[in-house]
Amino acid sequence: MVVLQDVSVDTRRVSAAVAAAGLSSFALLYAPQPVLPQLAQAYGLDPGSASLAIGVATTALAVAVLPVAWMAGAVGRRRVILWSVLLAAVIGLALPLAPSFPVLLVMRAVQG
């Protein structure tokens, strides 16, 4: 028989914060999707090339998961989550200022 224990308010708060950070990370990851045609037009690309803005970030996320998980174990999950979300948000604000498509791709890779 499973006995349910009371979950503290702090635990719920932390769980909600982690869920919000995860949701915002994936929102940032796929945010360029609806503007890919405008991105292609702005940089003079075909639609397939413009979609690299999504693929590069997704690939960078997949490559970085294990090293960042190790780092979170070493320096603390809270610190890694906080800095990751802040860095991704700052890069997201700077993305519209990217002077060229390769610079945009590098910024998206770091954001991923």
Side-chain angles (χ1 to χ4, degrees), residues 43 91 94-95 97-110:
Y43 290 110
I91 292 172
L95 277 170
L97 306 174
S100 67
F101 191 64
V103 171
L104 183 127
L105 291 179
V106 168
M107 292 171 72
R108 287 285 296 158
V110 173

Side-chain angles (χ1 to χ4, degrees), residues 32-46 49-54 95 101 104-105 108:
Q33 186 75 36
V35 295
L36 286 178
Q38 291 86 358
L39 197 61
Q41 183 181 11
Y43 290 110
L45 304 168
D46 61 284
S49 296
S51 70
L52 281 173
I54 305 293
L95 277 170
F101 191 64
L104 183 127
L105 291 179
R108 287 285 296 158

Side-chain angles (χ1 to χ4, degrees), residues 15-44:
S15 295
V18 170
L23 182 64
S24 66
S25 295
F26 281 102
L28 282 172
L29 194 63
Y30 294 105
Q33 186 75 36
V35 295
L36 286 178
Q38 291 86 358
L39 197 61
Q41 183 181 11
Y43 290 110

Side-chain angles (χ1 to χ4, degrees), residues 61-101:
L61 175 67
V63 168
V65 164
L66 291 178
V68 170
W70 176 83
M71 186 172 61
V75 299
R77 288 181 185 95
R78 184 178 186 273
R79 183 178 293 168
V80 170
I81 291 171
L82 179 67
W83 281 105
S84 297
V85 170
L86 287 174
L87 180 62
V90 168
I91 292 172
L93 291 171
L95 277 170
L97 306 174
S100 67
F101 191 64

